[in-house]
Coordinates of all heavy atoms in Angstrom, one line a residue:
M119 N -25.0 -21.4 38.8 CA -23.7 -20.5 38.5 C -24.0 -19.2 39.2 O -25.1 -18.6 39.1 CB -23.5 -20.3 37.1 CG -22.5 -19.3 36.8 SD -22.1 -19.3 35.0 CE -23.5 -19.4 34.2
S120 N -23.1 -18.7 40.0 CA -23.5 -17.4 40.6 C -23.5 -16.2 39.6 O -22.9 -16.3 38.5 CB -22.3 -17.0 41.7 OG -21.1 -16.7 40.9
A121 N -24.1 -15.2 39.9 CA -24.0 -14.0 39.1 C -22.6 -13.4 38.9 O -22.3 -12.9 37.7 CB -24.9 -12.9 39.8
R122 N -21.9 -13.5 39.8 CA -20.5 -13.0 39.8 C -19.8 -13.9 38.6 O -19.1 -13.2 37.8 CB -19.8 -13.1 41.1 CG -18.4 -12.5 41.2 CD -17.7 -12.9 42.5 NE -16.2 -12.7 42.4 CZ -15.7 -11.5 42.5 NH1 -16.4 -10.4 42.7 NH2 -14.3 -11.4 42.5
R123 N -19.9 -15.2 38.8 CA -19.1 -16.0 37.9 C -19.7 -15.8 36.3 O -18.8 -15.8 35.4 CB -19.3 -17.6 38.2 CG -18.5 -18.5 37.4 CD -18.5 -19.9 37.9 NE -17.6 -20.0 39.0 CZ -17.4 -21.0 39.6 NH1 -18.1 -22.1 39.3 NH2 -16.6 -21.1 40.6
G124 N -21.0 -15.6 36.3 CA -21.5 -15.4 35.0 C -21.0 -14.0 34.4 O -20.7 -13.9 33.2
F125 N -20.8 -13.1 35.2 CA -20.3 -11.7 34.8 C -18.8 -11.9 34.3 O -18.5 -11.4 33.2 CB -20.4 -10.8 36.0 CG -19.9 -9.4 35.6 CD1 -20.5 -8.7 34.7 CD2 -18.6 -8.8 36.1 CE1 -20.0 -7.4 34.4 CE2 -18.2 -7.6 35.9 CZ -18.9 -6.9 34.8
I126 N -18.1 -12.7 35.0 CA -16.7 -12.9 34.7 C -16.6 -13.6 33.3 O -15.8 -13.4 32.5 CB -16.0 -13.8 35.8 CG1 -15.7 -12.8 37.0 CG2 -14.6 -14.3 35.2 CD1 -15.2 -13.5 38.3
R127 N -17.5 -14.7 33.1 CA -17.5 -15.5 31.7 C -17.9 -14.5 30.6 O -17.2 -14.4 29.6 CB -18.6 -16.5 31.8 CG -18.1 -17.6 32.6 CD -18.9 -18.9 32.3 NE -18.4 -19.9 33.1 CZ -19.0 -21.3 32.9 NH1 -19.9 -21.5 32.2 NH2 -18.4 -22.3 33.6
L128 N -18.7 -13.5 30.9 CA -19.2 -12.4 29.9 C -17.9 -11.6 29.6 O -17.7 -11.3 28.4 CB -20.3 -11.7 30.5 CG -21.0 -10.6 29.5 CD1 -21.6 -11.6 28.6 CD2 -21.8 -9.7 30.3
L129 N -17.2 -11.2 30.6 CA -16.0 -10.4 30.4 C -15.0 -11.2 29.5 O -14.3 -10.5 28.6 CB -15.3 -10.0 31.7 CG -15.9 -8.8 32.5 CD1 -15.2 -8.6 33.8 CD2 -16.1 -7.7 31.6
V130 N -14.7 -12.4 29.8 CA -13.8 -13.2 29.0 C -14.2 -13.3 27.6 O -13.5 -13.1 26.7 CB -13.6 -14.6 29.7 CG1 -12.9 -15.6 28.9 CG2 -13.0 -14.5 31.0
A131 N -15.5 -13.6 27.4 CA -16.0 -13.6 26.1 C -15.9 -12.3 25.3 O -15.4 -12.3 24.1 CB -17.4 -14.0 26.1
A132 N -16.2 -11.2 25.9 CA -15.9 -9.9 25.3 C -14.6 -9.7 25.0 O -14.2 -9.1 23.9 CB -16.5 -8.8 26.2
G133 N -13.7 -10.1 25.8 CA -12.2 -9.9 25.5 C -11.8 -10.8 24.3 O -11.1 -10.1 23.5
W134 N -12.4 -12.0 24.2 CA -11.9 -12.7 22.9 C -12.5 -12.1 21.7 O -11.9 -12.1 20.7 CB -12.6 -14.2 23.1 CG -11.5 -14.9 23.9 CD1 -11.7 -15.5 25.1 CD2 -10.2 -15.4 23.4 NE1 -10.6 -16.2 25.4 CE2 -9.7 -16.1 24.4 CE3 -9.4 -15.1 22.2 CZ2 -8.4 -16.7 24.3 CZ3 -8.2 -15.6 22.2 CH2 -7.7 -16.4 23.3
L135 N -13.7 -11.5 21.7 CA -14.3 -10.8 20.6 C -13.4 -9.6 20.2 O -13.2 -9.3 19.1 CB -15.8 -10.3 21.0 CG -16.8 -11.4 20.9 CD1 -18.2 -10.8 21.4 CD2 -16.9 -12.1 19.5
T136 N -12.9 -8.8 21.3 CA -12.1 -7.7 20.9 C -10.9 -8.2 20.3 O -10.3 -7.6 19.3 CB -11.8 -7.0 22.3 OG1 -12.9 -6.7 22.9 CG2 -11.0 -5.7 22.0
V137 N -10.3 -9.2 20.7 CA -9.0 -9.7 20.1 C -9.3 -10.1 18.7 O -8.4 -9.9 17.8 CB -8.5 -11.0 20.9 CG1 -7.3 -11.7 20.2 CG2 -7.8 -10.5 22.4
A138 N -10.4 -10.8 18.5 CA -10.6 -11.3 17.0 C -10.9 -10.1 16.2 O -10.4 -10.0 15.0 CB -11.9 -12.2 17.1
A139 N -11.5 -9.0 16.8 CA -11.7 -7.8 15.9 C -10.5 -7.2 15.5 O -10.1 -6.8 14.4 CB -12.7 -6.9 16.6
V140 N -9.6 -7.1 16.5 CA -8.3 -6.3 16.3 C -7.4 -7.1 15.3 O -6.9 -6.5 14.5 CB -7.5 -6.1 17.7 CG1 -6.2 -5.6 17.4 CG2 -8.3 -5.0 18.4
S141 N -7.3 -8.5 15.5 CA -6.6 -9.2 14.6 C -7.0 -9.1 13.2 O -6.2 -9.2 12.3 CB -6.2 -10.6 15.1 OG -7.4 -11.3 15.3
S142 N -8.3 -9.1 12.9 CA -8.8 -9.2 11.6 C -8.6 -7.8 11.0 O -8.3 -7.6 9.8 CB -10.3 -9.6 11.5 OG -11.1 -8.6 12.1
A143 N -8.6 -6.8 11.8 CA -8.3 -5.4 11.3 C -6.9 -5.3 10.8 O -6.6 -4.7 9.9 CB -8.7 -4.3 12.3
A144 N -6.0 -5.9 11.6 CA -4.6 -5.8 11.3 C -4.2 -6.5 9.9 O -3.4 -6.1 9.3 CB -3.7 -6.4 12.4
A145 N -5.2 -7.6 9.5 CA -4.8 -8.2 8.4 C -5.4 -7.6 7.2 O -5.3 -8.1 6.1 CB -5.3 -9.7 8.6
A146 N -6.4 -6.7 7.4 CA -7.0 -6.0 6.3 C -6.1 -5.2 5.4 O -5.0 -4.7 5.8 CB -8.1 -5.0 6.9
P147 N -6.3 -5.4 4.0 CA -5.4 -4.7 3.1 C -5.5 -3.2 3.3 O -6.4 -2.6 3.7 CB -6.1 -5.0 1.7 CG -7.0 -6.1 2.0 CD -7.5 -6.0 3.4
K148 N -4.3 -2.6 3.1 CA -4.2 -1.2 3.3 C -3.8 -0.5 1.9 O -3.4 -1.1 1.0 CB -2.9 -1.0 4.1 CG -3.1 -1.2 5.5 CD -1.8 -0.9 6.4 CE -1.9 -1.5 7.8 NZ -0.6 -1.6 8.4
V149 N -3.9 0.8 1.8 CA -3.7 1.6 0.7 C -2.6 2.4 1.0 O -2.5 3.1 2.1 CB -4.9 2.4 0.3 CG1 -4.5 3.3 -1.0 CG2 -6.1 1.6 -0.1
H150 N -1.5 2.4 0.2 CA -0.2 3.2 0.6 C 0.0 4.2 -0.6 O -0.2 3.9 -1.7 CB 1.1 2.3 0.6 CG 0.9 1.2 1.5 ND1 1.3 1.2 2.8 CD2 0.4 -0.1 1.3 CE1 1.1 -0.1 3.5 NE2 0.6 -0.8 2.5
T151 N 0.1 5.5 -0.2 CA 0.1 6.5 -1.2 C 1.6 7.0 -1.4 O 2.3 7.4 -0.4 CB -0.9 7.6 -0.8 OG1 -2.2 7.1 -0.8 CG2 -0.8 8.8 -1.8
I152 N 1.9 7.2 -2.6 CA 3.2 7.8 -3.0 C 3.0 9.0 -3.9 O 2.4 8.8 -4.9 CB 4.1 6.7 -3.8 CG1 4.4 5.5 -2.9 CG2 5.3 7.5 -4.2 CD1 5.0 4.4 -3.6
V153 N 3.5 10.2 -3.4 CA 3.2 11.3 -4.2 C 4.4 11.5 -5.1 O 5.6 11.4 -4.7 CB 3.0 12.6 -3.2 CG1 3.0 13.8 -3.9 CG2 1.8 12.5 -2.2
V154 N 4.0 11.8 -6.4 CA 5.1 12.2 -7.3 C 5.2 13.6 -7.6 O 4.1 14.2 -8.0 CB 4.8 11.4 -8.7 CG1 5.9 11.6 -9.7 CG2 4.5 9.9 -8.5
A155 N 6.3 14.2 -7.4 CA 6.4 15.8 -7.5 C 7.8 16.1 -7.8 O 8.7 15.3 -7.5 CB 6.0 16.5 -6.3
D156 N 8.0 17.1 -8.6 CA 9.4 17.7 -8.9 C 10.3 16.6 -9.6 O 11.4 16.3 -9.2 CB 10.0 18.2 -7.7 CG 9.3 19.4 -7.2 OD1 8.6 20.1 -8.0 OD2 9.1 19.5 -6.0
M157 N 9.7 15.7 -10.5 CA 10.4 14.7 -11.3 C 10.8 13.6 -10.4 O 11.9 13.1 -10.6 CB 11.5 15.4 -12.0 CG 11.1 16.4 -13.1 SD 10.2 15.7 -14.5 CE 11.5 15.1 -15.3
A158 N 10.2 13.4 -9.3 CA 10.7 12.3 -8.3 C 9.6 11.6 -7.7 O 8.5 12.2 -7.4 CB 11.7 12.8 -7.3
Y159 N 9.8 10.4 -7.3 CA 8.8 9.6 -6.5 C 9.0 10.1 -5.0 O 10.1 10.1 -4.6 CB 8.9 8.2 -6.6 CG 8.7 7.6 -8.0 CD1 9.7 7.0 -8.7 CD2 7.4 7.5 -8.6 CE1 9.7 6.5 -9.9 CE2 7.3 7.0 -9.8 CZ 8.4 6.5 -10.6 OH 8.2 6.0 -11.7
G160 N 7.9 10.2 -4.4 CA 8.0 10.2 -2.9 C 8.6 9.0 -2.3 O 8.7 8.1 -3.0
P161 N 8.9 9.1 -1.0 CA 9.5 7.9 -0.2 C 8.6 6.7 -0.5 O 7.3 6.8 -0.4 CB 9.5 8.3 1.3 CG 9.3 9.8 1.2 CD 8.6 10.2 0.0
A162 N 9.2 5.5 -0.7 CA 8.6 4.2 -0.7 C 8.0 3.9 0.6 O 8.6 4.1 1.7 CB 9.6 3.1 -1.2
P163 N 6.7 3.5 0.6 CA 6.1 3.1 1.9 C 6.7 2.0 2.6 O 7.1 1.0 2.0 CB 4.7 2.9 1.6 CG 4.6 2.6 0.2 CD 5.8 3.3 -0.6
A164 N 6.9 2.0 4.0 CA 7.2 0.9 4.7 C 6.0 -0.1 4.9 O 4.8 0.4 4.8 CB 7.9 1.2 6.0
D165 N 6.3 -1.3 5.2 CA 5.3 -2.2 5.7 C 4.1 -2.5 4.6 O 2.9 -2.6 4.9 CB 4.5 -1.7 6.9 CG 4.4 -2.7 8.1 OD1 5.3 -3.5 8.1 OD2 3.4 -2.7 8.7
V166 N 4.6 -2.7 3.4 CA 3.6 -3.1 2.3 C 3.6 -4.6 2.3 O 4.5 -5.2 2.4 CB 4.1 -2.6 1.0 CG1 3.1 -3.0 -0.1 CG2 4.2 -1.1 1.0
H167 N 2.3 -5.1 2.3 CA 2.1 -6.5 2.4 C 1.3 -7.0 1.1 O 0.7 -6.3 0.5 CB 1.3 -6.9 3.6 CG 2.1 -6.9 4.8 ND1 2.2 -5.6 5.5 CD2 2.9 -7.7 5.7 CE1 2.9 -5.9 6.8 NE2 3.3 -7.1 6.7
V168 N 1.5 -8.3 0.8 CA 0.7 -8.8 -0.3 C -0.7 -8.5 -0.1 O -1.2 -8.8 1.0 CB 1.0 -10.3 -0.5 CG1 0.1 -11.0 -1.5 CG2 2.5 -10.6 -0.8
G169 N -1.4 -8.1 -1.2 CA -2.8 -7.6 -1.1 C -3.1 -6.2 -0.8 O -4.2 -5.9 -1.0
D170 N -2.0 -5.5 -0.4 CA -2.2 -4.1 -0.2 C -2.2 -3.4 -1.6 O -1.7 -4.0 -2.6 CB -1.1 -3.5 0.6 CG -1.1 -3.8 2.1 OD1 -2.1 -4.5 2.4 OD2 -0.1 -3.4 2.7
T171 N -2.8 -2.1 -1.6 CA -2.8 -1.3 -2.7 C -1.7 -0.2 -2.7 O -1.5 0.4 -1.5 CB -4.2 -0.6 -2.9 OG1 -5.2 -1.7 -3.1 CG2 -4.3 0.3 -4.1
V172 N -1.0 -0.1 -3.7 CA 0.0 1.1 -3.8 C -0.6 2.0 -4.8 O -0.9 1.7 -5.8 CB 1.4 0.7 -4.1 CG1 2.3 1.9 -4.2 CG2 2.0 -0.5 -3.1
R173 N -0.7 3.3 -4.4 CA -1.3 4.4 -5.3 C -0.3 5.5 -5.4 O 0.2 6.0 -4.4 CB -2.6 4.9 -4.6 CG -3.3 6.0 -5.4 CD -4.4 6.6 -4.7 NE -5.5 5.6 -4.4 CZ -6.3 5.5 -3.5 NH1 -6.3 6.4 -2.6 NH2 -7.3 4.6 -3.5
W174 N 0.0 5.8 -6.6 CA 0.9 6.9 -6.9 C 0.0 8.1 -7.3 O -1.1 8.0 -8.1 CB 1.7 6.7 -8.1 CG 2.8 5.7 -7.8 CD1 4.1 6.2 -7.5 CD2 3.0 4.3 -7.8 NE1 5.0 5.1 -7.2 CE2 4.2 3.8 -7.4 CE3 2.0 3.3 -8.0 CZ2 4.6 2.6 -7.2 CZ3 2.3 1.9 -7.8 CH2 3.6 1.6 -7.4
V175 N 0.2 9.3 -6.7 CA -0.6 10.5 -7.1 C 0.4 11.4 -7.7 O 1.4 11.9 -7.2 CB -1.1 11.2 -5.7 CG1 -1.8 12.4 -6.0 CG2 -2.0 10.0 -5.1
N176 N 0.1 11.7 -9.0 CA 1.0 12.6 -9.7 C 0.6 14.0 -9.5 O -0.1 14.6 -10.1 CB 0.9 12.2 -11.2 CG 1.9 13.0 -12.1 OD1 2.8 13.7 -11.5 ND2 1.8 12.9 -13.4
N177 N 1.5 14.7 -8.7 CA 1.2 16.1 -8.4 C 2.1 17.0 -9.1 O 2.2 18.3 -9.0 CB 1.5 16.4 -6.8 CG 0.2 16.2 -6.0 OD1 -0.8 15.9 -6.6 ND2 0.4 16.1 -4.8
D178 N 2.8 16.4 -10.1 CA 3.7 17.1 -10.9 C 3.0 17.7 -12.2 O 1.8 17.4 -12.4 CB 4.9 16.1 -11.5 CG 6.2 16.9 -11.6 OD1 6.4 18.1 -11.7 OD2 7.2 16.1 -11.6
M179 N 3.6 18.6 -12.8 CA 3.1 19.3 -14.1 C 3.4 18.3 -15.4 O 3.1 18.7 -16.4 CB 3.6 20.7 -14.2 CG 5.1 20.8 -14.4 SD 5.6 22.6 -14.7 CE 5.5 23.2 -13.0
F180 N 4.1 17.3 -15.1 CA 4.5 16.3 -16.3 C 3.9 15.1 -16.2 O 3.5 14.5 -15.0 CB 6.1 16.2 -16.2 CG 6.9 17.3 -16.2 CD1 7.4 18.0 -15.2 CD2 7.0 18.0 -17.5 CE1 8.1 19.1 -15.2 CE2 7.7 19.3 -17.5 CZ 8.3 19.8 -16.4
R181 N 3.7 14.3 -17.2 CA 3.1 13.0 -17.2 C 4.3 12.0 -16.8 O 5.4 12.2 -17.2 CB 2.8 12.7 -18.6 CG 2.2 11.4 -18.9 CD 1.9 11.2 -20.4 NE 1.4 9.8 -20.7 CZ 1.3 9.4 -22.0 NH1 1.6 10.2 -23.0 NH2 0.9 8.2 -22.3
H182 N 4.0 11.1 -15.9 CA 4.9 10.2 -15.4 C 4.2 8.7 -15.5 O 2.9 8.6 -15.7 CB 5.2 10.4 -14.0 CG 6.0 11.6 -13.8 ND1 7.3 11.8 -14.3 CD2 5.6 12.8 -13.1 CE1 7.7 13.1 -14.0 NE2 6.7 13.6 -13.3
T183 N 5.0 7.7 -15.4 CA 4.5 6.2 -15.2 C 5.1 5.8 -13.9 O 6.1 6.2 -13.4 CB 4.9 5.4 -16.4 OG1 6.2 5.1 -16.3 CG2 4.4 6.0 -17.7
A184 N 4.5 4.7 -13.5 CA 5.1 3.9 -12.4 C 5.1 2.5 -13.0 O 4.1 1.8 -13.1 CB 4.3 3.8 -11.0
T185 N 6.3 2.1 -13.5 CA 6.4 0.9 -14.2 C 7.2 -0.1 -13.5 O 8.4 0.3 -13.2 CB 7.0 1.2 -15.7 OG1 6.3 2.3 -16.3 CG2 7.1 0.0 -16.6
A186 N 6.8 -1.3 -13.4 CA 7.5 -2.3 -12.6 C 8.5 -2.9 -13.6 O 8.2 -3.3 -14.7 CB 6.6 -3.4 -12.1
R187 N 9.7 -3.0 -13.2 CA 10.8 -3.6 -14.0 C 10.5 -5.1 -14.4 O 10.8 -5.6 -15.4 CB 12.2 -3.6 -13.2 CG 13.4 -3.8 -13.9 CD 13.9 -2.7 -14.9 NE 14.4 -1.4 -14.2 CZ 14.6 -0.3 -14.9 NH1 14.6 -0.3 -16.1 NH2 14.9 0.8 -14.2
D188 N 9.8 -5.7 -13.4 CA 9.4 -7.2 -13.7 C 8.1 -7.3 -14.5 O 7.8 -8.3 -14.9 CB 9.2 -7.8 -12.3 CG 8.0 -7.4 -11.6 OD1 7.2 -6.6 -12.0 OD2 7.9 -8.0 -10.4
G189 N 7.5 -6.1 -15.0 CA 6.4 -6.2 -15.9 C 5.1 -6.4 -15.2 O 4.0 -6.6 -15.8
S190 N 5.1 -6.4 -13.8 CA 3.8 -6.7 -13.2 C 2.8 -5.6 -13.2 O 1.6 -5.8 -13.0 CB 4.1 -7.2 -11.7 OG 4.8 -6.2 -11.0
F191 N 3.3 -4.4 -13.5 CA 2.2 -3.4 -13.7 C 3.0 -2.1 -14.5 O 4.1 -2.1 -14.5 CB 1.7 -2.7 -12.4 CG 2.7 -2.4 -11.3 CD1 3.2 -1.0 -11.3 CD2 3.2 -3.2 -10.3 CE1 4.1 -0.7 -10.4 CE2 4.1 -2.8 -9.3 CZ 4.6 -1.5 -9.4
D192 N 2.2 -1.4 -15.1 CA 2.7 -0.2 -15.9 C 1.6 0.8 -15.9 O 0.7 0.8 -16.6 CB 3.0 -0.7 -17.3 CG 3.6 0.5 -18.2 OD1 3.9 1.5 -17.5 OD2 3.5 0.3 -19.4
L193 N 1.7 1.7 -14.9 CA 0.7 2.8 -14.7 C 1.2 4.1 -15.2 O 2.1 4.6 -15.0 CB 0.6 3.0 -13.2 CG 0.2 1.7 -12.4 CD1 0.4 2.0 -10.8 CD2 -1.1 1.0 -12.8
D194 N 0.3 4.7 -16.0 CA 0.5 5.8 -16.8 C -0.4 7.0 -16.1 O -1.5 6.9 -16.1 CB 0.1 5.6 -18.3 CG 0.8 6.7 -19.1 OD1 0.8 7.9 -18.7 OD2 1.1 6.4 -20.4
M195 N 0.3 8.1 -15.8 CA -0.4 9.2 -15.0 C -0.1 10.5 -15.7 O 1.0 11.0 -15.7 CB 0.0 9.2 -13.7 CG -0.3 7.9 -12.8 SD 0.7 7.9 -11.2 CE 2.4 7.6 -11.9
K196 N -1.2 11.1 -16.1 CA -1.3 12.4 -16.6 C -1.0 13.3 -15.4 O -1.3 13.0 -14.3 CB -2.4 12.9 -17.4 CG -2.8 12.1 -18.6 CD -4.0 12.6 -19.3 CE -4.2 12.1 -20.7 NZ -4.8 10.7 -20.8
P197 N -0.6 14.7 -15.7 CA -0.5 15.4 -14.5 C -1.8 15.6 -13.7 O -2.8 15.6 -14.3 CB -0.2 16.8 -15.2 CG 0.5 16.5 -16.5 CD -0.2 15.4 -16.9
K198 N -1.6 15.5 -12.4 CA -2.7 15.6 -11.4 C -3.5 14.4 -11.4 O -4.7 14.4 -10.7 CB -3.7 16.9 -11.7 CG -2.8 18.1 -11.7 CD -1.9 18.4 -10.4 CE -1.0 19.6 -10.6 NZ -0.1 19.7 -9.5
A199 N -3.1 13.3 -12.0 CA -3.9 12.0 -12.0 C -3.3 11.1 -11.1 O -2.0 11.3 -10.6 CB -4.0 11.4 -13.4
S200 N -4.0 10.0 -10.7 CA -3.4 8.9 -9.9 C -3.6 7.6 -10.4 O -4.5 7.5 -11.3 CB -3.9 9.2 -8.5 OG -5.3 8.7 -8.4
A201 N -2.9 6.7 -10.1 CA -3.1 5.3 -10.5 C -2.6 4.3 -9.5 O -1.8 4.7 -8.7 CB -2.4 5.1 -11.8
E202 N -3.2 3.1 -9.4 CA -2.8 2.2 -8.2 C -2.8 0.8 -8.8 O -3.2 0.4 -9.9 CB -3.9 2.3 -7.2 CG -5.3 2.0 -7.6 CD -6.3 2.3 -6.5 OE1 -6.2 3.3 -5.8 OE2 -7.3 1.4 -6.3
T203 N -2.1 -0.1 -7.9 CA -2.0 -1.5 -8.2 C -2.1 -2.2 -6.9 O -1.7 -1.7 -5.9 CB -0.8 -1.9 -9.0 OG1 -0.7 -3.1 -9.4 CG2 0.5 -1.6 -8.1
V204 N -2.6 -3.4 -7.0 CA -2.6 -4.3 -5.8 C -1.3 -5.1 -5.9 O -1.1 -5.8 -7.0 CB -3.9 -5.1 -5.8 CG1 -3.9 -6.1 -4.6 CG2 -5.1 -4.2 -5.7
V205 N -0.5 -5.2 -5.0 CA 0.7 -6.1 -5.1 C 0.4 -7.5 -4.7 O -0.4 -7.7 -3.7 CB 1.8 -5.5 -4.1 CG1 2.4 -4.2 -4.8 CG2 1.4 -5.2 -2.8
K206 N 0.8 -8.4 -5.5 CA 0.3 -9.8 -5.5 C 1.4 -10.7 -5.0 O 1.0 -11.9 -4.8 CB -0.2 -10.2 -6.9 CG -1.4 -9.4 -7.3 CD -2.1 -10.1 -8.4 CE -3.4 -9.4 -8.8 NZ -3.3 -8.1 -9.4
K207 N 2.7 -10.4 -4.9 CA 3.7 -11.2 -4.4 C 4.7 -10.5 -3.5 O 5.0 -9.4 -3.8 CB 4.3 -12.1 -5.5 CG 5.1 -11.2 -6.6 CD 5.7 -12.2 -7.6 CE 6.5 -11.1 -8.5 NZ 7.2 -11.5 -9.6
A208 N 5.3 -11.3 -2.6 CA 6.3 -10.7 -1.9 C 7.6 -10.6 -2.6 O 7.8 -11.3 -3.5 CB 6.5 -11.6 -0.5
G209 N 8.4 -9.6 -2.1 CA 9.8 -9.4 -2.7 C 10.0 -8.0 -3.0 O 9.3 -7.1 -2.4
T210 N 11.0 -7.7 -3.8 CA 11.5 -6.3 -4.2 C 11.0 -6.1 -5.6 O 11.0 -6.9 -6.5 CB 12.9 -6.2 -4.2 OG1 13.3 -6.5 -2.8 CG2 13.4 -4.8 -4.5
I211 N 10.3 -5.0 -5.7 CA 9.9 -4.5 -7.1 C 10.6 -3.1 -7.4 O 10.4 -2.2 -6.7 CB 8.2 -4.2 -7.0 CG1 7.5 -5.5 -6.5 CG2 7.8 -3.8 -8.4 CD1 6.0 -5.3 -6.4
N212 N 11.3 -3.2 -8.5 CA 12.0 -2.0 -8.9 C 11.0 -1.3 -9.9 O 10.5 -1.9 -10.8 CB 13.2 -2.3 -9.7 CG 14.2 -2.9 -8.6 OD1 14.6 -2.2 -7.7 ND2 14.8 -4.1 -8.9
V213 N 10.8 0.0 -9.7 CA 9.8 0.8 -10.3 C 10.6 1.9 -10.9 O 11.4 2.6 -10.3 CB 8.8 1.4 -9.3 CG1 7.8 2.3 -10.0 CG2 8.0 0.3 -8.6
Y214 N 10.2 2.3 -12.2 CA 10.9 3.4 -12.9 C 9.7 4.1 -13.7 O 8.7 3.6 -13.9 CB 12.0 3.0 -13.8 CG 11.6 2.0 -15.0 CD1 11.5 2.8 -16.2 CD2 11.3 0.8 -14.8 CE1 11.2 1.9 -17.3 CE2 10.9 0.1 -15.9 CZ 10.9 0.6 -17.1 OH 10.3 -0.2 -18.3
C215 N 10.0 5.3 -14.3 CA 9.2 6.1 -15.1 C 9.8 5.9 -16.6 O 10.9 6.0 -16.8 CB 9.3 7.6 -14.7 SG 8.4 8.7 -15.9
R216 N 8.8 5.4 -17.5 CA 9.2 5.3 -18.8 C 9.6 6.4 -19.5 O 10.4 6.5 -20.6 CB 8.0 4.6 -19.5 CG 7.8 3.1 -19.3 CD 6.8 2.4 -20.2 NE 5.5 2.7 -19.9 CZ 4.6 3.5 -20.6 NH1 5.1 4.0 -21.8 NH2 3.4 3.7 -20.3
F217 N 9.2 7.6 -19.1 CA 9.5 8.9 -19.7 C 10.7 9.5 -19.2 O 11.5 10.4 -19.7 CB 8.4 9.9 -19.6 CG 7.1 9.4 -20.1 CD1 6.0 9.3 -19.3 CD2 7.0 8.8 -21.4 CE1 4.7 8.8 -19.9 CE2 5.7 8.3 -21.9 CZ 4.6 8.3 -21.1
H218 N 11.1 9.1 -18.0 CA 12.2 9.9 -17.3 C 13.1 8.8 -16.5 O 12.7 8.5 -15.4 CB 11.8 10.8 -16.2 CG 10.7 11.8 -16.8 ND1 9.4 11.7 -16.5 CD2 10.9 12.9 -17.6 CE1 8.8 12.6 -17.2 NE2 9.7 13.4 -17.9
P219 N 14.1 8.1 -17.3 CA 14.6 6.9 -16.6 C 15.4 7.2 -15.4 O 15.7 6.2 -14.6 CB 15.7 6.6 -17.8 CG 15.0 7.1 -19.1 CD 14.3 8.3 -18.6
G220 N 15.6 8.4 -15.1 CA 16.3 8.8 -13.8 C 15.4 8.5 -12.6 O 15.7 8.6 -11.5
M221 N 14.1 8.6 -12.9 CA 13.0 8.4 -11.8 C 12.9 7.0 -11.5 O 12.5 6.1 -12.3 CB 11.7 8.9 -12.2 CG 11.6 10.3 -12.2 SD 10.0 10.9 -12.9 CE 8.9 10.4 -11.5
K222 N 13.5 6.6 -10.3 CA 13.4 5.1 -9.8 C 12.9 5.0 -8.4 O 13.1 5.9 -7.7 CB 14.9 4.6 -9.9 CG 15.4 4.3 -11.4 CD 16.8 3.9 -11.3 CE 17.5 4.0 -12.6 NZ 19.0 3.9 -12.6
Q223 N 12.5 3.8 -8.1 CA 12.0 3.5 -6.8 C 12.0 2.1 -6.4 O 11.8 1.2 -7.4 CB 10.5 4.0 -6.6 CG 9.8 3.8 -5.4 CD 8.9 4.8 -5.2 OE1 7.7 4.8 -5.9 NE2 8.8 5.6 -4.2
T224 N 12.2 1.7 -5.3 CA 12.3 0.2 -4.9 C 11.2 0.0 -3.8 O 11.1 0.7 -2.8 CB 13.7 -0.2 -4.4 OG1 14.6 0.0 -5.2 CG2 13.6 -1.6 -4.1
L225 N 10.2 -0.9 -4.3 CA 9.2 -1.2 -3.2 C 9.6 -2.6 -2.6 O 9.8 -3.5 -3.4 CB 7.9 -1.4 -4.0 CG 7.1 -0.2 -4.4 CD1 5.8 -0.6 -5.1 CD2 6.8 0.7 -3.3
T226 N 9.3 -2.7 -1.4 CA 9.6 -3.9 -0.7 C 8.3 -4.5 -0.3 O 7.5 -3.8 0.5 CB 10.5 -3.8 0.6 OG1 11.7 -3.2 0.0 CG2 10.8 -5.1 1.1
V227 N 7.9 -5.7 -0.6 CA 6.6 -6.1 -0.3 C 6.7 -7.5 0.5 O 7.6 -8.3 0.2 CB 5.8 -6.6 -1.6 CG1 4.5 -7.2 -1.2 CG2 5.7 -5.5 -2.6
K228 N 6.1 -7.4 1.7 CA 6.3 -8.6 2.6 C 5.2 -9.5 2.5 O 4.1 -9.2 2.1 CB 6.3 -8.1 4.1 CG 7.5 -7.0 4.4 CD 7.3 -6.4 5.7 CE 8.2 -5.2 5.9 NZ 7.8 -4.3 7.0
Ligands
CU56 CU1 8.4 10.6 -15.3

C-alpha cells in the first residue's frame, strides 16, 4: 500500500470517528431552563426530548409549583429556589401552579 493510500484511509477513518462523536453528542440529554417570574412561567422550551431535564428556576418573590396535570411530577419551589424533572414520555404535558391556577404552561416532549 502506498503512503498516499494509507493517508487517505486514515482521513476516512478520522471522518467516521467525527461523525460518531457528533451523532452521540446530539442524542445526549439536555437541560432546559424555564424562569418563573412576575407570577408567570417563562416560555416553554422548544425541542424537548424524552430523557431531557426540564428545570424551573423560581426568580419570583412568591412560592410556586410546576405541577403536571397528568400527575407525572409536582415540583414545589420556594422563592429563589429551583426544581427539575426528567421527562419520560413523549406528548403534551400541561403544567400549572397549585397556588396560582392562572399560571399555566404546555410542554411538548418529542
Ligand atoms: Cu404560583
